[in-house]
């Protein structure tokens, strides 16, 4: 009987172990050196560009964003701000800066996806070669617009810039750990996929699209992770996004506890919803169509946020360890123990290679405490899942 229960427990733990293996492969690929690609030495001609900035009550952040963008534009380029359901001075600030501004007011259809669709429909009169989406609270690093536009035009595919969230100066340990987790997800794992020749997820900002692709895409959506959904949809259509780490956009985590909590809840509940509701069907679709790009994105999406993955692995290890102590059956404990070792090793490898200037190893050791503090967030998903797009409160 103990052997049978051990087998059943092992079967329950194996999917968690598989998620750890996917994570490890991505980190390992990111760390290993790869030869320089030929096209990186001979970039193509810069296409015409439209910058699309969806903005909801962003009067405090918008000027810095537009300033970081405008210096990189040519006279033939277009800068469009969608003031979406704004109750502040967002539209006026954008107009004073010299951007074209369109205002959208719709109390029923709320969310960034609807704002993007509104802007894209407006851009039909210009039909730029490339549309680049920049969030209204981001700073675009010099040269990034050119890199995104050229890579997009050359490949004919959507292109995602490196998108980083940074802890503000003097931030506490919780935000610095959050910055590390964000870096692992958006830089390390995306770079690993790129080195494996695979596509990456869209990250919401710093996204470049060929006009022929984005003008036909189904963007209007109230999904709270509209970027994740759009990237998977494009992969189904045979144009999966590619990662361009040479282009970079960055923003700052909110410092208010309300802002941090609402932002984190929206992201992580949306991600979990996509895993549970869409991952199985998309995986079957990828198998049937032999769509390697879509399959890679589904597997990558199936890896939950790092804190939850740690909770799952440690929970599996604890359950199998207790069972081993009382029964002596060790297969499940061996699988779970191996997953714990692999996960911790590759988290440390990612830190050593990419994040030693972000957080010290001593501070990173407090990550399990941070992880436990997020348990209520995941329990809330089971009780009252967040489904509405809510702007994070910022100082």
């Amino acid at each position: 009987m103990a052997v049978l229960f051990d087998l059943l427990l092992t079967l329950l733990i194996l999917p968690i172990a598989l998620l750890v293996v996917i994570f490890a492969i991505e980190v390992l690929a990111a760390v290993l050196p790869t030869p320089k690609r030929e096209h990186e030495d001979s970039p193509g001609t810069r296409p015409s560009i439209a910058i699309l900035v969806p903005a909801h009550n962003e009067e405090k952040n918008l000027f810095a964003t537009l300033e970081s963008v405008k210096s990189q534009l040519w006279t033939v380029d277009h800068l469009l701000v969608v003031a979406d359901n704004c109750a502040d001075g967002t539209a006026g600030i954008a107009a004073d800066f010299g951007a074209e501004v369109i205002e959208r007011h719709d109390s029923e259809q709320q969310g960034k996806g609807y704002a993007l669709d509104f802007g894209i429909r407006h851009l039909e009169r210009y039909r730029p070669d490339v549309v680049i989406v920049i969030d209204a609270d981001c700073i675009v690093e010099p040269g990034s617009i050119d890199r995104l536009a050229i890579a997009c035009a050359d490949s004919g595919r959507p292109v995602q810039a490196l998108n980083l969230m940074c802890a503000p100066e003097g931030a506490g340990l919780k935000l610095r750990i959050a910055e590390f987790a964000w870096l692992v997800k958006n830089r390390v794992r995306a770079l690993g996929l790129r080195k494996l020749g695979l596509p990456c997820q869209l990250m919401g900002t710093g996204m470049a699209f060929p006009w022929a692709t984005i003008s036909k895409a189904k963007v209007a959506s109230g999904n709270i992770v509209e970027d994740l959904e759009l990237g998977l949809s494009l992969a189904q259509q045979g144009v999966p996004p590619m990662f361009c780490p040479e282009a970079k956009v960055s923003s700052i985590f909110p410092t208010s506890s309300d802002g941090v909590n609402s932002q984190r809840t929206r992201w992580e509940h949306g991600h979990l919803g996509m895993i549970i509701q869409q991952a199985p069907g998309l995986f079957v679709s990828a198998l049937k169509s032999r769509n390697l790009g879509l399959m890679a994105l589904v597997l990558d999406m199936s890896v939950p946020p790092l804190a939850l993955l740690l909770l799952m692995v440690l929970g599996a290890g604890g359950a199998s360890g207790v069972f081993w102590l009382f029964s002596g059956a060790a297969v499940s404990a061996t699988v779970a123990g191996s997953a714990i070792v692999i996960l911790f090793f590759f988290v440390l490898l990612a830190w050593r290679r990419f994040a030693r200037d972000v957080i010290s190893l001593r501070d990173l050791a407090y990550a399990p405490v941070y992880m436990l503090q997020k348990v209520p967030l995941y329990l809330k998903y089971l009780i009252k899942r967040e489904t509405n797009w809510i702007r994070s409160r910022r100082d």
Side-chain angles (χ1 to χ4, degrees):
M1 185 62 70
V3 173
L4 178 60
F5 277 112
D6 191 36
L7 177 60
L8 292 174
L9 188 56
T10 301
L11 291 176
L12 291 174
I13 293 172
L14 277 176
I16 300 174
L18 176 60
L19 297 176
V20 172
V21 170
I22 294 170
F23 175 87
I25 290 173
E26 291 177 343
V27 173
L28 180 61
V31 170
L32 293 177
T34 54
K36 193 171 184 178
R37 294 185 172 101
E38 293 181 1
H39 71 81
E40 291 177 352
D41 292 326
S42 53
T45 304
R46 184 188 187 278
S48 64
I49 299 169
I51 304 294
L52 176 54
V53 183
H56 173 63
N57 292 340
E58 291 286 358
E59 64 179 6
K60 294 181 180 179
N61 305 300
L62 184 60
F63 184 86
T65 297
L66 297 180
E67 192 172 40
S68 73
V69 169
K70 193 171 184 180
S71 61
Q72 303 183 49
L73 299 183
W74 293 4
T75 55
V76 295
D77 297 331
H78 200 76
L79 177 58
L80 175 66
V81 175
V82 179
D84 185 53
N85 288 305
C86 290
D88 65 356
T90 294
I93 290 172
D96 290 344
F97 194 86
E100 181 178 6
V101 184
I102 54 175
E103 297 188 60
R104 175 181 176 272
H105 299 282
D106 191 326
S107 59
E108 296 297 324
Q109 294 184 326
Q110 297 195 35
K112 181 178 170 183
Y114 293 115
L116 290 176
D117 182 72
F118 191 70
I120 291 166
R121 300 288 75 82
H122 182 80
L123 289 173
E124 287 178 349
R125 67 189 66 183
Y126 303 108
R127 301 183 66 84
D129 295 325
V130 172
V131 176
I132 299 178
V133 176
I134 302 294
D135 278 355
D137 60 348
C138 292
I139 301 300
V140 184
E141 188 171 280
S144 295
I145 297 297
D146 282 357
R147 293 186 182 99
L148 283 173
I150 292 172
C152 184
D154 286 353
S155 66
R157 291 168 51 186
V159 179
Q160 174 63 58
L162 171 61
N163 172 27
L164 295 180
M165 289 283 291
C166 305
E169 186 176 352
L173 179 57
K174 183 184 294 187
L175 281 184
R176 284 185 283 124
I177 292 176
E179 180 180 357
F180 169 74
W182 186 274
L183 182 146
V184 170
K185 179 180 181 292
N186 278 16
R187 183 184 179 189
V188 180
R189 292 174 55 194
L191 183 60
L193 288 170
R194 180 176 186 262
K195 289 187 175 183
L196 291 169
L198 297 171
C200 74
Q201 309 289 354
L202 290 178
M203 301 173 190
T205 183
M207 306 180 295
F209 303 93
W211 173 252
T213 298
I214 197 62
S215 62
K216 299 175 183 176
K218 297 176 66 174
V219 179
S221 167
N223 194 323
I224 56 178
V225 282
E226 78 294 324
D227 48 351
L228 189 60
E229 183 179 55
L230 177 59
L232 291 164
S233 175
L234 294 175
Q236 280 186 293
Q237 299 168 35
V239 281
M242 58 183 287
F243 187 46
C244 180
E246 296 81 16
K248 179 182 174 182
V249 297
S250 61
S251 55
I252 305 295
F253 279 110
T255 55
S256 70
S257 58
D258 287 346
V260 171
N261 291 335
S262 66
Q263 189 178 67
R264 187 170 293 140
T265 300
R266 174 163 53 88
W267 287 338
E268 301 205 19
H269 282 198
H271 186 181
L272 291 175
M274 290 288 292
I275 293 173
I276 294 170
Q277 297 173 11
Q278 297 198 33
L282 288 171
F283 186 76
V284 172
S285 175
L287 284 175
K288 288 182 177 179
S289 60
R290 299 180 182 179
N291 188 331
L292 179 61
L294 176 60
M295 186 177 297
L297 290 184
V298 172
L299 291 175
D300 175 73
M301 177 186 70
S302 298
V303 178
L306 187 54
L308 180 56
L309 183 60
L310 284 167
L311 280 171
M312 292 167 64
V313 169
L314 293 176
S320 59
V322 170
F323 182 76
W324 169 68
L325 286 175
F326 283 95
S327 69
V331 175
S332 59
T334 301
V335 173
S338 300
I340 291 172
V341 171
I342 292 171
L343 181 58
F344 275 81
F345 174 81
F346 281 97
V347 167
L348 289 174
L349 184 62
W351 168 82
R352 178 176 175 79
R353 177 63 177 82
F354 296 100
R356 284 188 289 179
D357 59 339
V358 171
I359 188 171
S360 69
L361 184 59
R362 180 179 179 179
D363 286 344
L364 186 60
Y366 285 93
V369 177
Y370 165 79
M371 171 190 70
L372 291 174
Q373 292 177 345
K374 295 185 71 174
V375 170
L377 183 150
Y378 300 125
L379 292 177
K380 185 179 178 182
Y381 178 85
L382 301 175
I383 301 169
K384 188 180 178 182
R385 175 190 167 194
E386 181 61 72
T387 58
N388 298 318
W389 197 97
I390 301 174
R391 178 187 179 274
S392 301
R393 177 182 172 185
R394 296 182 179 275
D395 296 330

